[in-house]
Amino acid sequence: MGQKVNPKGMRLGIIKTWNSRWYAGKDYSRYVFEDHKLRVYLKKKLFHAGVSKIDIERSAKRIKLKIYAARPGIIIGKKGSEIEALKKE
């Protein structure tokens, strides 16, 4: 019986990339937990926009989120009002 391998693991670095891009050192577990909480919160809040993927990049004191959605107009809102409210949260 053969070993079962996750198909995304074979494609990392070639076709696909990581969903989170950062280096933590000793804070690794805290960052993974924060990433999970962010993804769950955003998927629940933006459910009606059809969110398919959320990429997270961390630098020194900044988090950059890339949200891939089927209906980005709902996330952005009129004149960017919804996205500003989301940033404040």
Side-chain angles (χ1 to χ4, degrees), residues 69-85:
R71 300 167 67 190
I74 293 175
I75 297 172
I76 297 169
K78 288 189 178 182
K79 298 183 182 177
S81 61
E82 293 294 320
I83 198 81
E84 292 300 323

Side-chain angles (χ1 to χ4, degrees), residues 16-72:
K16 297 188 182 230
T17 183
W18 300 97
N19 291 335
S20 297
R21 286 180 285 284
W22 43 263
Y23 177 77
K26 292 183 180 184
D27 294 331
Y28 180 81
S29 60
R30 185 171 61 94
Y31 285 170
V32 169
F33 187 63
E34 282 180 8
D35 286 359
H36 176 69
K37 286 196 313 187
L38 272 172
R39 282 195 177 95
V40 168
Y41 173 75
L42 288 174
K43 283 199 176 204
K44 195 176 289 184
K45 182 163 178 67
L46 304 172
F47 175 76
H48 57 282
V51 175
S52 63
K53 183 169 82 167
I54 300 172
D55 285 346
I56 300 173
E57 291 182 27
R58 291 179 190 261
S59 58
K61 294 182 180 179
R62 177 174 263 208
I63 296 176
K64 192 189 287 187
L65 296 173
K66 291 181 184 176
I67 301 171
Y68 297 87
R71 300 167 67 190

